[in-house]
């Protein structure tokens, strides 16, 4: 799989990863008045501040997406998107909703992996200069990114007694642990990608709901957020787990 997709996988991973920001930025444009009124009603901050918040979200997300896809100033784009996640977490009271908080953290994990990838690309300019090991910040960013990504699966666990749910929980938890500790990482991450994509298409089929219904927007947001986590996992498949992992330690044994 890696041999066939080696040239395309990082590009597909980046597109999937920023898809939630792209969709949300476009949503801000088409739902400008609704978003502004929601912020104004929730925080009583006035028309001007609420409009500024929507504009900042729109501009920050779309600009970050363009920079990431064009591979220009990727580190600054990642920091900007981190800021958008933090801003939305506070503004939409996601901090008190455990499910959405964990999904936002998983989204942050994907950005950490993208940041680590951009650092390695920066270092590749010095290809010819011998180095003993990768830089520690990059290693720990990859570790943090992997751990945060697996939080997405914790929101998909179903605590009931049906056979399918029990099997899904056991297999999903095992794959999460493998990705987090970095053992058979690429295979585990690829399996998670396939599984997450299947669950996403089945449970978040927003295209089957009429546009005027609130559930359409809810499922659409959920769909693209899951696609972003899939993008992060594809980066793990493409780049490997990094230095802080059992796969890397096995090479030393």
């Amino acid at each position: 799989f890696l041999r066939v997709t080696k040239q395309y996988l990082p590009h597909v991973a980046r597109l999937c990863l920023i898809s939630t920001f792209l969709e949300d930025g476009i949503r801000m444009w088409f739902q400008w008045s609704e978003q502004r009124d929601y912020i104004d009603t929730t925080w009583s901050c006035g028309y001007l501040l609420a409009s500024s918040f929507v504009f900042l979200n729109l501009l920050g997300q779309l600009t970050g997406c363009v920079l990431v896809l064009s591979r220009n100033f990727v580190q600054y784009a990642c920091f900007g998107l981190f800021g958008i996640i933090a801003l939305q977490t506070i503004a939409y009271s996601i901090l008190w909703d455990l499910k959405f908080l964990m999904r936002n953290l998983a989204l942050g994990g994907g950005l950490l992996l993208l940041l680590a990838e951009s650092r390695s690309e920066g270092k590749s300019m010095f290809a010819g200069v011998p180095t003993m090991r990768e830089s520690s910040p990059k290693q720990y960013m990859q570790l943090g990114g992997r751990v945060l990504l697996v939080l997405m699966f914790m929101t998909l666990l179903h605590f009931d007694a049906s056979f399918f749910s029990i099997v899904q929980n056991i297999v999903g938890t095992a794959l999460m642990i493998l990705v987090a500790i970095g053992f058979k990482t690429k295979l585990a991450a690829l399996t998670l990608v396939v599984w997450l994509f299947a669950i996403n298409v089945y449970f978040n089929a927003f295209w089957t709901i009429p546009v005027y219904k609130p559930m359409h927007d809810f499922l659409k947001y959920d769909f693209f957020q899951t696609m972003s986590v899939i993008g992060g996992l594809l980066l793990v498949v493409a780049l490997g787990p990094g230095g802080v992992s059992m796969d890397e330690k096995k090479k030393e044994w």
Side-chain angles (χ1 to χ4, degrees):
F1 175 81
L2 285 174
R3 208 163 41 240
V4 174
T5 61
K6 189 164 135 184
Q7 295 181 342
Y8 313 104
L9 198 58
H11 301 291
V12 174
R14 281 168 174 260
L15 181 60
C16 289
L17 205 155
I18 57 97
S19 63
T20 190
F21 299 108
L22 193 59
E23 187 274 331
D24 200 45
I26 294 170
R27 183 204 299 257
M28 292 291 169
W29 175 264
F30 286 105
Q31 296 183 357
W32 180 284
S33 56
E34 293 96 322
Q35 297 290 338
R36 181 199 60 214
D37 293 344
Y38 174 81
I39 294 297
D40 187 19
T41 304
T42 304
W43 294 97
S44 303
C45 57
Y47 180 89
L48 185 60
L49 274 177
S51 297
S52 301
F53 170 82
V54 177
F55 179 73
L56 181 63
N57 267 274
L58 186 153
L59 186 65
Q61 291 185 103
L62 294 184
T63 303
C65 291
V66 170
L67 292 177
V68 167
L69 290 177
S70 63
R71 295 179 182 258
N72 293 313
F73 306 104
V74 175
Q75 295 190 32
Y76 296 109
C78 287
F79 290 133
L81 292 174
F82 275 125
I84 294 291
I85 290 175
L87 188 64
Q88 289 188 351
T89 299
I90 295 168
Y92 293 108
S93 303
I94 292 172
L95 201 59
W96 315 118
D97 188 320
L98 187 59
K99 179 181 175 181
F100 281 101
L101 179 61
M102 288 170 74
R103 293 196 170 197
N104 265 16
L105 288 172
L107 195 56
L111 287 176
L112 265 181
L113 291 170
L114 190 56
L115 200 55
E117 186 207 17
S118 69
R119 286 178 66 92
S120 70
E121 284 184 345
K123 290 179 182 299
S124 68
M125 291 189 297
F126 302 99
V129 180
T131 54
M132 292 297 290
R133 294 176 66 92
E134 291 178 313
S135 62
S136 289
K138 181 193 167 186
Q139 291 181 7
Y140 289 110
M141 277 193 283
Q142 287 177 298
L143 173 64
R146 293 199 320 269
V147 172
L148 288 175
L149 275 179
V150 299
L151 291 176
M152 169 60 82
F153 251 93
M154 294 179 69
T155 66
L156 299 175
L157 297 179
H158 298 284
F159 298 101
D160 57 60
S162 70
F163 177 75
F164 179 76
S165 293
I166 292 170
V167 171
Q168 180 180 325
N169 290 349
I170 292 171
V171 176
T173 304
L175 289 170
M176 283 194 295
I177 292 170
L178 288 176
V179 172
I181 65 176
F183 182 70
K184 301 288 185 187
T185 319
K186 291 186 178 184
L187 181 59
L190 187 58
T191 308
L192 279 175
V193 165
V194 174
W195 196 353
L196 254 185
F197 185 75
I199 289 174
N200 200 25
V201 170
Y202 183 76
F203 287 108
N204 297 322
F206 65 89
W207 52 88
T208 62
I209 307 292
V211 178
Y212 59 85
K213 291 192 175 181
M215 184 57 71
H216 175 89
D217 277 348
F218 177 78
L219 291 179
K220 191 177 180 182
Y221 177 78
D222 227 23
F223 178 87
F224 282 103
Q225 199 172 38
T226 307
M227 287 303 297
S228 289
V229 177
I230 287 173
L233 287 167
L234 283 174
L235 274 182
V236 173
V237 175
L239 304 174
V244 187
S245 64
M246 288 187 69
D247 285 346
E248 195 67 26
K249 295 299 178 188
K250 280 194 303 181
K251 295 176 184 177
E252 298 175 7
W253 300 340

